[in-house]
């Protein structure tokens, strides 16, 4: 899903609701305690949370940068998938040109491989999100192929294997030269590489210990901050501490969401929208579809 509009405030507060309640209760308790006891008895030097906050800022900056790099790499990979899908279709249409009685069979193989490529894009996106890989593939692969790929552990990889089988058949019939066969096989290999890169991002988790340390350090900072401000600000420190704490927690959660770009969340790489764009492009190359009126081009792909 692509978010190119402003993120609503209720979404942000829904993600940090627990933290806001915790900080609000903590700051109120500190302020009331300061009023009950004589002023300054529970205060600590402000320099302590200041130093801790500076350190956390650096850690969060590094964490957010690393998470964004993972998200951007995923988007670049799917950009390559768009290009290679178009290239594969163009190669099939250009290279495979049997004449005579083989013409119909050759055209059938071209259409079958193009439709299978459409199914592959949907299947890869859904498998990365741990949903049914065949959810959007109806009508793009035959029933026999559907029954065969259902038995495979990696459905997108199985679809590429069927690509190679059809390519071998076309080459065996003499419809492709050695050079043309190598070119198409290279494109399929690049698709396989993109699949592997996506799976690497999906299966490589951020170190849990690092995330835990960052989270606990933020809580330590939030707990100490009211004690550093209560002596000079009193009750005024309540909204100030809440604002600072929410900012830190939002940055942390942003990093958490960006580090997993295939979790079916609003911050995800829009794999379904990209797959739909590829479907439109490939069908147009087959002279089968026009762009629907309800689909608008956004950032290099179409969004419904």
């Amino acid at each position: 899903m692509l978010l190119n509009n402003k993120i609503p405030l209720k979404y942000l507060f829904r993600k940090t609701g627990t933290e806001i309640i915790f900080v609000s209760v903590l700051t109120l308790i500190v302020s009331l305690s300061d009023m009950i006891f004589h002023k300054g008895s529970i205060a600590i030097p402000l320099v302590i949370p200041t130093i801790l906050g500076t350190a956390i800022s650096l850690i969060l900056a590094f964490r957010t940068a690393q998470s964004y790099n993972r998200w951007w790499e995923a988007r670049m990979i799917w950009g390559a998938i768009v290009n290679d899908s178009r290239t594969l279709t163009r190669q099939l249409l250009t290279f495979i040109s049997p004449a005579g009685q083989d013409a119909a069979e050759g055209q059938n193989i071209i259409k079958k491989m193009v439709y299978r490529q459409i199914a592959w894009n949907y299947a890869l996106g859904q498998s990365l999100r741990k949903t049914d890989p065949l959810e959007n593939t109806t009508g793009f692969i035959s029933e026999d192929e559907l029954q065969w790929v259902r038995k495979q552990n990696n459905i997108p990889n199985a679809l590429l294997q069927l690509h190679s089988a059809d390519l071998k058949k076309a080459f065996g019939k003499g419809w492709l030269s050695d050079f043309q066969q190598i070119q198409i096989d290279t494109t399929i290999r690049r698709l396989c590489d993109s699949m592997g890169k996506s799976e690497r991002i999906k299966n490589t988790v951020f170190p849990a210990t690092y995330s835990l340390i960052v989270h606990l350090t933020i809580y330590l900072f939030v707990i100490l901050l009211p004690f550093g401000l209560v002596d000079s600000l009193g009750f005024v420190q309540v909204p100030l501490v809440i604002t600072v704490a929410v900012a830190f927690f939002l940055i942390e959660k942003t990093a958490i969401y960006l580090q997993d770009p295939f979790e079916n969340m609003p911050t995800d790489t829009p794999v379904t929208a990209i797959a739909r764009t590829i479907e439109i492009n490939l069908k147009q190359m087959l002279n089968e579809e026009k762009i629907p009126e309800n689909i608008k081009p956004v950032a290099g792909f179409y969004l419904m």
Side-chain angles (χ1 to χ4, degrees):
M1 179 178 181
L2 177 67
L3 286 179
N4 62 344
N5 297 321
K6 293 182 179 179
I7 299 177
L9 288 177
K10 63 180 180 179
Y11 175 82
L12 299 178
F13 285 112
R14 187 168 66 247
K15 296 301 180 182
T16 57
T18 303
E19 289 82 0
I20 291 175
I21 294 174
F22 170 78
V23 175
S24 300
V25 172
L26 173 65
T27 52
L28 287 173
I29 291 175
V30 173
S31 297
L32 291 174
S33 299
D34 184 62
M35 291 181 60
I36 295 174
F37 301 101
H38 57 83
K39 188 173 180 64
S41 61
I42 62 173
I44 64 173
L46 182 58
V47 67
I48 296 177
T50 299
I51 294 174
L52 186 59
T54 302
I56 294 173
S57 298
L58 295 174
I59 295 173
L60 282 178
F62 175 78
R63 172 72 184 277
T64 304
Q66 295 303 308
S67 298
Y68 179 79
N69 286 340
R70 283 167 60 94
W71 181 88
W72 182 244
E73 182 184 3
R75 184 62 187 89
M76 293 291 288
I77 290 170
W78 274 81
I81 288 174
V82 173
N83 296 337
D84 288 333
S85 296
R86 294 166 178 164
T87 297
L88 176 63
T89 301
R90 184 169 59 253
Q91 288 173 334
L92 293 173
L93 291 170
T94 304
F95 293 163
I96 300 179
S97 54
Q101 59 183 5
D102 291 336
E105 185 179 2
Q107 292 301 316
N108 181 61
I109 283 185
I110 293 173
K111 183 174 181 178
K112 185 168 65 170
M113 291 185 69
V114 171
Y115 270 46
R116 190 188 297 124
Q117 181 58 33
I118 294 172
W120 181 84
N121 294 308
Y122 283 118
L124 178 59
Q126 296 303 109
S127 65
L128 291 171
R129 289 177 169 175
K130 300 298 183 183
T131 59
D132 181 13
L134 298 174
E135 179 180 349
N136 297 313
T137 60
T138 303
F140 295 122
I141 52 179
S142 66
E143 187 62 30
D144 291 340
E145 291 182 347
L146 182 62
Q147 294 302 320
W148 183 77
V149 298
R150 284 188 185 277
K151 301 175 183 178
Q152 310 302 312
N153 292 329
N154 191 321
I155 290 178
N157 188 59
L159 292 173
L160 290 183
Q161 187 174 345
L162 292 174
H163 270 351
S164 296
D166 280 342
L167 180 61
K168 180 180 179 180
K169 179 180 179 180
F171 180 70
K173 286 181 172 292
W175 299 342
L176 295 168
S177 66
D178 292 346
F179 175 78
Q180 292 170 334
Q181 188 269 341
I182 292 173
Q183 289 297 304
I184 297 176
D185 185 69
T186 300
T187 304
I188 296 175
R189 178 184 58 78
R190 289 199 302 267
L191 290 168
C192 187
D193 289 343
S194 295
M195 177 177 65
K197 292 175 182 177
S198 298
E199 291 171 341
R200 170 175 52 79
I201 294 175
K202 175 67 178 181
N203 298 324
T204 303
V205 299
F206 236 76
T209 304
Y210 179 81
S211 299
L212 179 62
I213 291 174
V214 172
H215 190 66
L216 292 178
T217 306
I218 292 176
Y219 266 100
L220 178 60
F221 167 74
V222 170
I223 291 173
L224 292 178
L225 185 58
F227 292 97
L229 296 176
V230 68
D231 188 27
S232 57
L233 297 180
F235 262 105
V236 178
Q237 58 101 14
V238 176
L240 179 60
V241 173
I242 293 175
T243 302
V244 173
V246 168
F248 274 90
F249 283 121
L250 280 176
I251 294 173
E252 181 197 22
K253 288 185 179 294
T254 299
I256 292 173
Y257 297 146
L258 288 179
Q259 74 186 25
D260 295 316
F262 301 118
E263 291 297 317
N264 203 16
M265 296 190 300
T267 53
D268 271 9
T269 300
V271 292
T272 303
I274 295 174
R276 174 56 178 150
T277 297
I278 296 173
E279 176 189 348
I280 294 171
N281 293 162
L282 301 196
K283 284 185 175 180
Q284 284 184 316
M285 294 176 76
L286 293 175
N287 297 318
E288 291 187 359
E289 181 170 316
K290 296 182 179 179
I291 299 177
E293 294 181 356
N294 66 323
I295 297 184
K296 300 178 180 180
V298 176
F301 54 88
Y302 292 93
L303 181 66
M304 298 182 68

